[in-house]
């Protein structure tokens, strides 16, 4: 499938910004949807290919998009209330289901035939071992519950409106533009200040994927996925979290403390997040291009530039 113009919701988020940069490289036009007065609006590149719509995501069905050119793919990245205190509020999280359905409805109204939504590993809950698309879903957080519900409802809506829908369950992505409370962002910023992070024992098995690889995978899914369905998105390689943490510390300052073990695990701590990306490899030919160390180097440099 040839992609010439897309819509991106959550355009000022980390994956949204990196997707926009990828589209500029590939000469793809972008309708970028961002909430009014977003503090991250300045992160979106200014470029002739990019048209920014400042719109409350809850009103996305009233976007008023220019339809003189067709939209080939709709990427729905937006998700409200992701901070720690709000992730388990069922009333707040439920609004994201409505937004996802409104996004799918807009895709139908404008004649878009491909819808790619981002789900989460949180949809699986606590699993001991590798996770693939057929692993039973049993989320233990409201965030995971509503991601799962949104994905199921959006896929059903798209099925009945002749739209290919792919729900991509993202495991752990790292890179520039992340919110401060995300682990890798917190870890890098804290160590760059010469301070000690406060971390758990970090025995979790994690699969970390660099953001540029994540964007490449999402674009490949839009272009090449043979049918609607779910994909797990990770690097396909996992290791103990303490190894990632130590690598970050070593890349910044060998003399700093990692802070490992300074805090206890949370209730319902998920200890294993390992993505089986066999289906993704088979269907679209995805293979990560960045090693963790390569992505880490670029990410640290980005934070250093923002700090200066």
């Amino acid at each position: 499938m040839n992609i010439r113009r897309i819509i991106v919701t959550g355009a000022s988020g980390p994956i949204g910004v990196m997707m926009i940069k990828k589209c500029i490289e590939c000469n793809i036009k972008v309708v970028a949807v961002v909430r009014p007065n977003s503090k991250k609006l300045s992160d979106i590149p200014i470029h002739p290919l990019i048209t920014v719509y400042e719109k409350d995501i809850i009103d996305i069905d009233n976007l008023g998009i220019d339809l003189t050119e067709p939209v080939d793919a709709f990427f729905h990245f937006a998700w409200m209330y992701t901070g720690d205190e709000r992730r388990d509020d069922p009333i707040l999280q439920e609004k994201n289901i409505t937004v996802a359905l409104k996004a799918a409805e807009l895709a139908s109204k404008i004649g878009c035939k491909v819808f790619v939504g981002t789900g989460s590993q949180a949809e699986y809950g606590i699993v001991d071992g590798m996770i693939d698309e057929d692993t039973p879903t049993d989320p233990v957080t409201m965030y995971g519950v509503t991601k799962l519900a949104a994905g199921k409802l959006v896929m059903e809506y798209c099925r009945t409106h002749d739209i290919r829908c792919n729900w991509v369950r993202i495991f752990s992505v790292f890179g520039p533009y992340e919110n401060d409370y995300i682990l890798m962002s917190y870890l890098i910023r804290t160590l760059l200040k010469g301070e000690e992070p406060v971390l758990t024992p970090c025995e979790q098995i994690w699969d970390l994927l660099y953001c540029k690889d994540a964007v490449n995978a999402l674009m490949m899914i839009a272009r090449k996925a043979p049918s609607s369905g779910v994909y797990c998105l990770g690097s396909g390689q996992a290791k103990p979290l303490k190894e990632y943490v130590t690598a970050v510390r070593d890349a910044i300052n060998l003399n700093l403390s990692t802070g490992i073990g300074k805090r206890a695990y949370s209730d319902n701590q998920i200890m294993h997040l390992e993505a089986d990306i066999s289906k993704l490899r088979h269907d679209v030919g995805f293979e990560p291009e960045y090693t963790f160390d390569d992505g880490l180097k670029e990410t640290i440099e980005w934070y250093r530039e923002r700090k200066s």
Side-chain angles (χ1 to χ4, degrees):
M1 173 182 173
N2 186 27
I3 295 180
R4 296 153 297 180
R5 189 181 186 218
I6 68 172
I7 292 180
V8 176
T9 69
S12 63
I15 294 180
V17 173
M18 298 308 289
M19 174 64 80
I20 289 169
K21 290 188 173 187
K22 175 72 173 179
C23 287
I24 292 171
E25 292 175 9
C26 298
N27 199 36
I28 296 171
K29 294 182 179 180
V30 180
V31 175
V33 184
V34 62
R35 68 177 181 272
N37 303 313
S38 169
K39 294 179 181 178
K40 294 187 173 183
L41 181 60
S42 61
D43 289 337
I44 298 176
I46 298 173
H47 193 277
L49 290 170
I50 313 305
T51 303
V52 176
Y53 284 75
E54 292 188 65
K55 190 79 173 179
D56 192 324
I57 194 65
I58 203 74
D59 295 323
I60 190 171
D61 49 338
N62 297 315
L63 189 59
I65 179 177
D66 173 16
L67 293 178
T68 55
E69 293 181 78
V71 175
D72 300 303
F74 196 120
F75 292 89
H76 182 54
F77 302 151
W79 197 268
M80 303 180 291
Y81 315 118
T82 56
D84 287 344
E85 294 181 359
R86 300 177 293 177
R87 286 169 72 92
D88 271 326
D89 186 321
I91 302 300
L92 292 178
Q93 288 298 319
E94 184 275 336
K95 295 178 181 178
N96 286 299
I97 299 174
T98 300
V99 168
L101 284 168
K102 283 187 174 185
E105 183 180 30
L106 176 59
S108 177
K109 286 179 179 177
I110 63 178
C112 186
K113 294 300 183 181
V114 175
F115 186 96
V116 178
T118 47
S120 169
Q121 46 76 20
E123 296 174 50
Y124 291 106
I126 299 174
V127 179
D128 183 14
M130 188 171 279
I131 297 171
D132 65 18
E133 294 78 8
D134 295 324
T135 300
T137 49
D138 187 19
V140 295
T141 64
M142 284 299 105
Y143 173 78
V145 168
T146 48
K147 279 284 190 181
L148 179 62
K152 287 180 175 293
L153 289 168
V154 165
M155 289 189 71
E156 178 60 18
Y157 179 91
C158 290
R159 183 188 69 79
T160 59
H161 288 77
D162 194 28
I163 301 171
R164 186 202 354 127
C165 178
N166 296 108
W167 192 252
V168 185
R169 291 175 180 154
I170 296 176
F171 279 58
S172 295
V173 171
F174 75 100
Y177 304 104
E178 286 283 7
N179 290 317
D180 291 349
Y181 55 81
I182 299 298
L183 175 61
M184 286 290 285
S185 172
Y186 163 72
L187 181 61
I188 292 171
R189 288 183 298 101
T190 302
L191 290 170
L192 283 174
K193 290 187 288 187
E195 298 174 359
E196 180 184 57
V198 179
L199 305 176
T200 70
C202 296
E203 299 160 312
Q204 304 97 308
I205 305 298
W206 270 26
D207 180 328
L208 279 174
L209 180 69
Y210 188 46
C211 58
K212 289 183 180 179
D213 279 327
V215 164
N216 286 342
L218 291 164
M219 187 62 78
M220 291 174 77
I221 289 168
R223 283 183 170 135
K224 300 181 180 180
S227 61
S228 293
V230 172
Y231 286 104
C232 290
L233 177 56
S235 70
Q237 310 238 344
K239 57 186 177 182
L241 181 56
K242 63 176 64 177
E243 293 187 23
Y244 293 117
V245 171
T246 301
V248 175
R249 188 277 311 276
D250 292 353
I252 293 174
N253 187 334
L254 287 167
N255 296 317
L256 294 174
S257 169
T258 60
I260 290 175
K262 292 290 184 176
R263 58 176 286 192
Y265 291 124
S266 62
D267 294 338
N268 291 323
Q269 178 71 52
I270 295 176
M271 297 298 294
H272 205 112
L273 293 176
E274 184 175 359
D276 182 341
I277 61 171
S278 299
K279 181 182 176 184
L280 193 57
R281 285 181 169 129
H282 177 271
D283 284 1
V284 306
F286 171 69
E287 201 66 52
E289 297 177 4
Y290 283 79
T291 66
F292 173 74
D293 289 340
D294 290 339
L296 177 61
K297 182 179 179 180
E298 286 193 5
T299 304
I300 291 174
E301 185 59 33
W302 181 85
Y303 276 100
R304 282 192 168 124
E305 289 175 359
R306 299 278 280 206
K307 183 180 175 183
S308 61

